[in-house]
Amino acid sequence: MKLTNNIIPYLNDEKFSEGLYITVAKSQKNIPDRISYVCDYSRGKKIIHVGCLDHEQLIQKKIDADTWLHKKIDEVAAKQVGIDINRPALAFVKEKTIYQNVFYEDITSDEPVGSMIQEEQWDAMILGEILEHVNDPIQFLKKLKSKYAPFVKEVLISVPNAFALENFRFALSHKENINSDHRFWFTVYTLAKNLTLAGYTNFQYNFVCYEPHEYRRRYLQKLLQTRFPALRSTIMMHTNFDNS
């Protein structure tokens, strides 16, 4: 799905509305899950996986359960390199698993891009559930573009959806359920706004569920998320570095 051209002036601050209505989705029978979506996108491509690790204590469990995203991408990509700033998790993966294509790299630093990235031209960079953890998403995205644009064509970003059905369920119980490290909730518009102000254009997006069990075990939830895709838990946003 794409944002219509009449939305662009609002994204780049040429126009203002205090009550802008945007059609973001229509009924879709297919409900992809996040891992399947990313793997389909990555198939046969050369991928840079940003934030490729996880909490150290969860990595082996996810590998055993066949749900660790880095492993799943590795199975389908033509080539993959993972970068992260979590040194303990990096050491664990290097020492305890077969996945040696992971490296320390801080996107926000002024250090040059690592040689393992400079030696290739990459099809895509994947940022899975990263932006909601950073203090300044716009500056982060600007830095990402300035450092990696010479080496990468496209970017695929996933973030938790502010309008996820589960969030409404908790709100009805007067509660909020959230990862305590999150700084932001995103919608399609606010994610596109951040990207636009950081210098990106040409957005395409989709709504997916974080895991298949979200819709396979609950008939009513599956019905609602089929009829109203914007109630799914995760936003997948495609953009590019060269703005072509």
Side-chain angles (χ1 to χ4, degrees), residues 93-105:
V93 170
K94 290 277 194 179
E95 294 171 10
K96 303 294 185 180
T97 81
I98 64 172
Y99 300 98
Q100 301 299 299
N101 58 349
V102 292
F103 302 90
Y104 179 89
E105 187 149 316

Side-chain angles (χ1 to χ4, degrees), residues 36-51:
S36 297
Y37 189 96
V38 171
C39 287
D40 286 344
Y41 173 80
S42 303
R43 196 173 306 278
K45 294 179 179 178
K46 291 187 288 185
I47 299 293
I48 300 172
H49 186 192
V50 179

Side-chain angles (χ1 to χ4, degrees), residues 89-178:
L90 181 64
F92 174 84
V93 170
K94 290 277 194 179
E95 294 171 10
K96 303 294 185 180
T97 81
I98 64 172
Y99 300 98
Q100 301 299 299
N101 58 349
V102 292
F103 302 90
Y104 179 89
E105 187 149 316
D106 185 353
I107 287 170
T108 63
S109 77
D110 292 326
E111 294 295 319
V113 172
S115 59
M116 70 286 183
I117 291 176
Q118 293 187 40
E119 66 190 16
E120 290 275 4
Q121 282 296 312
W122 301 85
D123 295 305
M125 175 175 273
I126 294 174
L127 281 73
E129 289 73 53
I130 301 296
L131 285 186
E132 66 273 16
H133 293 273
V134 302
N135 290 331
D136 190 337
I138 294 174
Q139 291 305 313
F140 178 88
L141 289 165
K142 284 182 177 180
K143 192 75 171 182
L144 185 81
K145 185 173 184 179
S146 67
K147 289 181 70 169
Y148 295 93
F151 311 104
V152 190
K153 296 177 184 177
E154 301 176 354
V155 187
L156 177 62
I157 298 170
S158 65
V159 293
N161 178 20
F163 295 143
L165 183 61
E166 286 292 283
N167 292 343
F168 291 102
R169 183 174 70 82
F170 283 107
L172 291 173
S173 301
H174 310 290
K175 295 177 182 177
E176 178 180 358
N177 182 34
I178 191 169

